Amino acid sequence: MSLKHALLGFINYGPMTGYELKKFFDTSVAHFWNAELSQIYPALKQFEGDGLVEMKVEVQEDRPNRKVYSITEAGRHELIDWLAKPADREQVREPILIKVFFGSSLSKQDLISVLQNCADDTRTAVTYLEHAHQFVDKFVEAIGLQQEALFWQLTIDCGLKVHRAELEWSEDAIQKIKAADDSIFENEQHGYDGVNDVRSAMEALDRVKSLMPGALSGADTYAHLATSPAAQPRAKARAKVGR
């Protein structure tokens, strides 16, 4: 996600200071995006230089002056153009999956503890998002943005579905680990015996990849290769082998 366009999106609601933008972030999109003041202020200065926002100083007698930013027509065009484009798919980085992938190096109980901690944290996130629905309704009414409620609620719906699926996966993984044979844990050798076995594994990987191009290269790459003209003969050849 673009911090630039998130900030423009908030300023498009109305003029704001950097501090007010931070508060908006923390009370509306914190479940999927975060921004620090150390990021917000330099970005606003850059936007002003690029003509995307205008800054006015509001003089206050009993408090520090306020720097208030409002969006320009150029800024609004930049925002709308970005919103209308297909969203880029971000690369997923999940530390829990790295831990599970190499889980054979742990004891069974240690891996169960790791997964249980994941399940507990995810359960907390689900509870938070369930309450967030009620908060959004009250918040948009308080600030006069009732027309935005549907769109904000949809982002919470996404978070709920993702976290509920993660919770289900965690609990299922714990049961599978408990049922697994103890002999596959705390494995130091992992079946490899020096560089020759590693080379054999790499050769096997290359053979599998040649039969399934793009299978381990990410969803976007796989979809592109699967629909390309060059992929059709390979698909037919695999179908014949299957028979």
Side-chain angles (χ1 to χ4, degrees), residues 82-120:
W82 181 83
L83 289 173
K85 293 178 181 177
D88 294 330
R89 186 179 296 276
E90 296 286 342
Q91 182 179 8
V92 177
R93 292 182 173 88
E94 290 286 358
I96 182 64
L97 296 184
I98 292 293
K99 292 174 182 288
V100 171
F101 189 89
F102 297 111
S104 66
S105 295
L106 292 176
S107 69
K108 176 185 282 190
Q109 189 53 52
D110 282 346
L111 185 53
I112 289 174
S113 296
V114 169
L115 286 164
Q116 187 61 60
N117 183 69
C118 175
D120 293 342

Side-chain angles (χ1 to χ4, degrees), residues 12-219:
N12 193 45
Y13 289 147
M16 297 188 198
T17 65
Y19 177 73
E20 290 165 344
L21 281 164
K22 171 61 174 170
K23 291 189 70 173
F24 247 101
F25 261 94
D26 291 347
T27 54
S28 58
V29 299
H31 57 290
F32 61 89
W33 190 261
N34 182 47
E36 301 297 332
L37 285 172
S38 59
Q39 297 172 293
I40 292 173
Y41 285 120
L44 290 172
K45 186 175 182 180
Q46 180 67 48
F47 297 169
E48 186 181 5
D50 293 341
L52 302 178
V53 301
E54 293 178 344
M55 188 273 289
K56 292 183 179 180
V57 176
E58 290 187 358
V59 179
Q60 301 184 119
E61 294 182 0
D62 55 344
R63 296 180 183 178
N65 294 340
R66 300 173 73 241
K67 291 184 177 181
V68 182
Y69 296 86
S70 57
I71 198 166
T72 63
E73 281 302 311
R76 190 170 289 108
H77 283 308
E78 171 69 25
L79 172 64
I80 298 303
D81 287 347
W82 181 83
L83 289 173
K85 293 178 181 177
D88 294 330
R89 186 179 296 276
E90 296 286 342
Q91 182 179 8
V92 177
R93 292 182 173 88
E94 290 286 358
I96 182 64
L97 296 184
I98 292 293
K99 292 174 182 288
V100 171
F101 189 89
F102 297 111
S104 66
S105 295
L106 292 176
S107 69
K108 176 185 282 190
Q109 189 53 52
D110 282 346
L111 185 53
I112 289 174
S113 296
V114 169
L115 286 164
Q116 187 61 60
N117 183 69
C118 175
D120 293 342
D121 287 347
T122 307
R123 193 175 292 106
T124 299
V126 169
T127 301
Y128 159 75
L129 288 172
E130 287 172 343
H131 285 89
H133 267 302
Q134 301 174 23
F135 174 83
V136 165
D137 285 337
K138 294 179 180 179
F139 183 49
V140 295
E141 182 177 357
I143 63 176
L145 287 176
Q146 291 93 330
Q147 72 276 9
E148 304 295 328
L150 168 64
F151 311 104
W152 292 15
Q153 295 283 17
L154 284 173
T155 69
I156 297 175
D157 289 343
C158 178
L160 275 170
K161 290 181 183 295
V162 169
H163 282 89
R164 284 169 177 163
E166 184 178 358
L167 178 58
E168 181 182 357
W169 170 83
S170 300
E171 293 174 337
D172 183 59
I174 289 171
Q175 296 307 312
K176 288 180 178 178
I177 294 298
K178 287 181 177 179
D181 193 299
D182 291 347
S183 65
I184 67 173
F185 296 93
E186 297 183 279
N187 190 340
E188 296 181 1
Q189 295 300 321
H190 307 284
Y192 288 118
D193 184 20
V195 69
N196 290 330
D197 277 354
V198 173
R199 286 175 178 170
S200 297
M202 294 300 100
E203 291 171 358
L205 177 61
D206 288 340
R207 289 195 297 271
V208 173
K209 288 176 67 176
S210 68
L211 294 173
M212 303 177 65
L216 300 177
S217 303

